[in-house]
Every structure is written in C-alpha cells, then in structure tokens.
Amino acid sequence: MPGLILLVLLAFPLLASAQLRIEIVDGVEGAMPIAVVPFAWDSDLPEPATGVAEIISANLARSGLFEPMAEAQMIEQPVRPPEVRFGTWRLLRVDHLVIGRVVDSPDGIGQEIEYHLLDVHSGRILLSQALSVSPGDLRFGAHRVSDAVYESLIGVPGAFATRMAYVVVSDIGGDDELFELVVADADGFNPQTVVRNTQPILSPAWSPDGRRLAYVSFATGRSNVIVQDLFTGQTEIVSSSRGINGAPAFSPDGQRLAVSLSQGGSPDVWLIDLSNGRRQQLTHHWSINTEPAWSPDGERIYFTSDRAGRPQVHVMDADGGNLQRVTFDGRYNAGVSIGLEERFLAVVHSEGDNDFRIAIFDRENERMRVLSDGRLDESPSFAPNGSMLLYAARENGRGVLAAVSADGRIRQRLVASEGDVREPAWSPMIR
C-alpha cells in the first residue's frame, strides 16, 4: 500500500499553477512616502519584463506602510548616491529613496543587485549593499532587498522573501473535484503545484527550514500524514493509522511532528519522531484534541480541545504535562497560530452567532481582538515576522485568501483566477 500511495502522489510533478492577484483593501493613513527608482541594467543577461525596482515598490506598497512614488513622477533617476540631488526629492515630498543597479557577478555565473537606501531629509545613506543572486533568482533577490529596506525603516524583519502554501479546489465535472497543493511566493508569483489529486488535501504545514511540507492526503481513500521535500520531490508517509491522521505541525527544530490521531478512539495529540517513527501520546481524553501548534522555543504545544463543552485553545508542555486552558472569551476559539512572540495567538473566533472570524488573543492582558469581518473566515497563519496574518475567507461563493495586519489596519485580498483557495500556511524566513 505505501508504494501505491507514492505512485499516486508522484504522478504529478511540480507544475505551474494559477497566480494569485493581490488587492490592497485598506492601508495605513499617512503611509511613508518613498521612491524606488528603476535600477540600471548593467548585465549581459536579458533584462526581465518586471524590473527589480518594480518588485520592491510593489512589495512596500502591499505592506500598507509605504506609499511608493509612481515612476512617471520621478524627475530624475539616479543610480549611485553621488548622483542624488536631495533638494529635488525634498520638493517631491519623498522621505526615502532606493536606488541601484543590476550587474553580472564577478564569477560570471549569477548577478549582483547593488542597492542604496537614502534618507532624503538628512542626506544620509542608511543602507549600501550588494546582494548576489543565482541565475533565475532575480525576483527572490528583489524580495530580499525589500526585506532589508523594510527592516531598516520599520525596525522589524521583512517577510517578502517568504512563500505560502495553500490548497486550490476546482470542479472537474459532475460531482468530482480536483485538489491541488500549491506553493507560491509571498506576493502570489511563481505558483507551483506540489501535488494534485481528486481526493482531499488538507492542513499544509512548513518545516522550519522551509524545505519540507507536511500535509494530509486522502489519496488512498483515508487520511494519511505526508511529509514532502520540495527540492527533491521525495515523499514519506509518516502516519497512516486507523481512523484520523491529521493536523501536522513541525517542531521548531524540525525533528518531530505533532499530529492529531484517533487510533485510540477520540482524536488526541501525538508526537512523531521523524528520525525513527517513534510515537508519544500527549493527551488522553474522550474529547476532540486537535490542531497542535508549537511555541517558538519548542517547550509548549497549543491545541484545540472541546473538553470543556466547546472548542477552546489549551496549552501543555511538550511532554504532555502542565495542561491548561488558554481561551475563555467566546463560544468558539480554534485553529491557533502563534506570533513571533508567544504572547499573541491568532484563532478562529465566534461568539455563537454563526460568524467565524479571525481574532488575536493577547495572553498578557487576556484580551481578544477581532481582525476580520467575514462570516466563514478560517485557517489563520502568522507571517514569520508577526506583522501580518494570512487566512481563508469566502467571497461571492468562492474561497479566497486574505491578509490582515496584526493591528487590523492593513487588509489585502488574494484572489485566484479560478477555483476555491483555502488552507493557507505562511512559510518561515527563507534564506
């Protein structure tokens, strides 16, 4: 049977998929004015249709914190700091300036992005760096530059050089559906289908190095937890027990997988050692215990349990001890995602009126803050820098992805050209 599963999963290699279109719904009033000047192209390789500066500008704009100047409004287009006439940019009411060029690498293999971030008012150079990129990785390099500019001006790491995984469900005739697990850049570009099947695919989860995805596949007619290497395509079935095999979550060191298994009756949280397959049962209760999520230090595991009568978030030590209930506000709190600081937990929250929305629970002051305004919002996933939340929503009868800042001020919609999009998971930082 394992051989059959591998044949089913590997029947479809990595293929291009429909690109997501990002729409900014709400931004921050008084966003920072910035100009990203088109980078000079001093490379022997063909210049791409979308330039580095265009990618950086789009990244900063969709963060909601910056207001990039349109290229048509740029009176000058300097490439190096000595060419900048700061008085001109002050008249244009720009606070910061990003300039640079793309050159061939000294080894003749890849390219280098030379870039400079300048403070228009003081005339200071805030960043002046050269970033080497491999052939074909220029877009990723532009995301790395965006991260550096964001961190320099905002004070926290950017999350543009990250990826997201999600599931697309499409009708293929009659009552049949096609399920695709897709991985794309954080801006929706470069979507690649990891696996396709006419049976459900659920719960994608990233390894901490961004190399592997764990997910639930029903390719054999029942649930199996799969771990797939995105670079080699190699897959491993890590759990195919009787009953439910679901909700995988990698430990911060990547060596263990927390899952929900019902091999003993009701679903409980288990640990699977990925090096030897050994299992450890952490919860022992007749209730439903599922959706584990690790604390950033790997010392604790949060999970959803209805042991109190309705789904609420609980936490326990990674060995199953010291179990406590975390959420009390509302009739329903589930699907926890943990922010950069363990203080903030994102959940699917409901007060009992059939509206399921994304909320952040602040553990320090025990305050629940609702961020989304849909009726069936689900699957929250924090960006690795804790600034944004990606989640699934319904719009005009279709599943779409949406993003909201942790303070609720910035909102985005990510819409695919076809199919229902659901089950998002934001990757860790990728280097």
Side-chain angles (χ1 to χ4, degrees), residues 36 54 166 192 264 394:
V36 185
E54 187 176 346
Y166 51 92
Q192 300 290 321
R394 301 294 297 179

Side-chain angles (χ1 to χ4, degrees), residues 163-183:
R163 309 201 80 192
M164 54 184 170
Y166 51 92
V167 176
V168 179
V169 185
S170 306
D171 292 328
I172 55 175
D175 295 330
D176 294 328
E177 294 179 318
L178 178 66
F179 294 81
E180 298 177 88
L181 176 58
V182 179
V183 171

Side-chain angles (χ1 to χ4, degrees), residues 137-149:
D137 280 347
L138 195 61
R139 173 173 282 274
F140 181 72
H143 293 322
R144 292 280 303 276
V145 174
S146 305
D147 284 342
V149 171

Side-chain angles (χ1 to χ4, degrees), residues 27-307:
V28 176
E29 185 176 351
M32 190 182 303
I34 190 169
V36 185
V37 177
F39 281 28
W41 187 262
D42 295 331
S43 169
D44 292 333
L45 296 175
E47 187 171 0
T50 304
V52 169
E54 187 176 346
I55 297 169
I56 297 170
S57 184
N59 283 339
L60 298 178
R62 67 186 175 84
S63 77
L65 300 177
F66 295 89
E67 185 179 355
M69 172 181 283
E71 181 182 344
Q73 298 176 331
M74 299 178 188
I75 300 173
E76 302 171 348
Q77 295 191 0
V79 174
R80 299 173 179 84
E83 301 171 9
V84 176
R85 296 195 296 182
F86 290 101
T88 300
W89 296 99
R90 293 188 195 107
L91 289 174
L92 293 173
R93 298 184 178 180
V94 169
D95 287 348
H96 296 91
L97 193 64
V98 180
I99 59 175
R101 62 179 186 145
V102 177
V103 301
D104 292 324
S105 296
D107 58 13
I109 298 176
Q111 294 169 304
E112 286 188 346
I113 303 175
E114 297 177 0
Y115 67 97
H116 315 274
L117 171 64
L118 302 97
D119 185 312
V120 171
H121 299 288
S122 69
R124 291 189 303 117
I125 300 174
L126 304 181
L127 282 176
S128 189
Q129 298 178 346
L131 175 69
S132 296
V133 295
S134 302
D137 280 347
L138 195 61
R139 173 173 282 274
F140 181 72
H143 293 322
R144 292 280 303 276
V145 174
S146 305
D147 284 342
V149 171
Y150 183 95
E151 183 170 9
S152 179
L153 298 180
I154 303 300
V156 297
F160 303 113
T162 57
R163 309 201 80 192
M164 54 184 170
Y166 51 92
V167 176
V168 179
V169 185
S170 306
D171 292 328
I172 55 175
D175 295 330
D176 294 328
E177 294 179 318
L178 178 66
F179 294 81
E180 298 177 88
L181 176 58
V182 179
V183 171
D185 293 348
D187 60 356
F189 280 79
N190 297 325
Q192 300 290 321
T193 297
V194 176
V195 62
R196 287 175 176 164
N197 207 281
T198 54
Q199 300 301 316
I201 299 170
L202 306 171
S203 307
W206 290 89
S207 64
D209 62 1
R211 184 182 181 93
R212 294 170 291 167
L213 273 178
Y215 56 92
V216 178
S217 170
F218 283 79
T220 63
R222 61 189 182 92
S223 61
N224 295 274
V225 174
I226 310 291
V227 172
Q228 181 161 340
D229 189 307
L230 297 177
F231 289 80
T232 66
Q234 181 179 357
T235 61
E236 179 184 1
I237 304 161
V238 298
S239 184
S240 57
S241 304
R242 179 187 61 187
I244 295 171
N245 298 270
F250 281 96
S251 60
D253 61 8
Q255 297 179 9
R256 294 173 292 173
L257 205 64
V259 295
S260 179
L261 307 179
S262 66
Q263 62 184 50
S266 297
D268 275 300
V269 177
W270 291 67
L271 287 185
I272 300 176
D273 189 316
L274 294 174
S275 64
N276 55 32
R278 290 177 182 169
R279 302 185 177 198
Q280 178 186 0
Q281 186 174 353
L282 299 185
T283 63
H284 302 78
H285 202 273
W286 52 263
S287 62
I288 295 175
N289 303 279
T290 186
E291 301 175 327
W294 294 80
S295 64
D297 60 8
E299 296 294 324
R300 289 161 298 284
I301 296 175
Y302 292 77
F303 65 100
T304 303
S305 177
D306 65 354
R307 64 185 61 206

Side-chain angles (χ1 to χ4, degrees), residues 368-407:
M368 186 77 70
R369 186 172 75 257
V370 176
L371 300 181
S372 71
D373 55 5
R375 294 183 61 85
L376 291 172
D377 300 336
E378 59 184 6
S379 304
S381 178
F382 263 111
N385 64 0
S387 65
M388 300 283 290
L389 276 164
L390 189 64
Y391 64 95
R394 301 294 297 179
E395 186 176 274
N396 300 322
R398 288 183 57 200
V400 300
L401 300 186
V404 61
S405 61
D407 60 11

Side-chain angles (χ1 to χ4, degrees), residues 276-391:
N276 55 32
R278 290 177 182 169
R279 302 185 177 198
Q280 178 186 0
Q281 186 174 353
L282 299 185
T283 63
H284 302 78
H285 202 273
W286 52 263
S287 62
I288 295 175
N289 303 279
T290 186
E291 301 175 327
W294 294 80
S295 64
D297 60 8
E299 296 294 324
R300 289 161 298 284
I301 296 175
Y302 292 77
F303 65 100
T304 303
S305 177
D306 65 354
R307 64 185 61 206
R310 295 184 181 277
Q312 296 291 341
V313 176
H314 294 67
V315 66
M316 60 185 167
D317 293 341
D319 62 2
N322 194 28
L323 191 148
Q324 303 172 46
R325 179 173 169 178
V326 176
T327 58
F328 294 85
D329 185 2
R331 292 162 59 89
Y332 181 102
N333 292 288
V336 64
S337 177
I338 301 171
L340 188 61
E341 301 177 46
E342 194 176 346
R343 168 182 171 179
F344 298 105
L345 311 178
V347 296
V348 180
H349 173 79
S350 178
E351 296 289 347
D353 53 4
N354 294 322
D355 285 345
F356 293 88
R357 293 173 175 156
I358 305 304
I360 285 185
F361 178 65
D362 186 334
R363 293 207 66 189
E364 187 171 292
N365 59 29
E366 298 186 348
R367 178 172 174 258
M368 186 77 70
R369 186 172 75 257
V370 176
L371 300 181
S372 71
D373 55 5
R375 294 183 61 85
L376 291 172
D377 300 336
E378 59 184 6
S379 304
S381 178
F382 263 111
N385 64 0
S387 65
M388 300 283 290
L389 276 164
L390 189 64
Y391 64 95

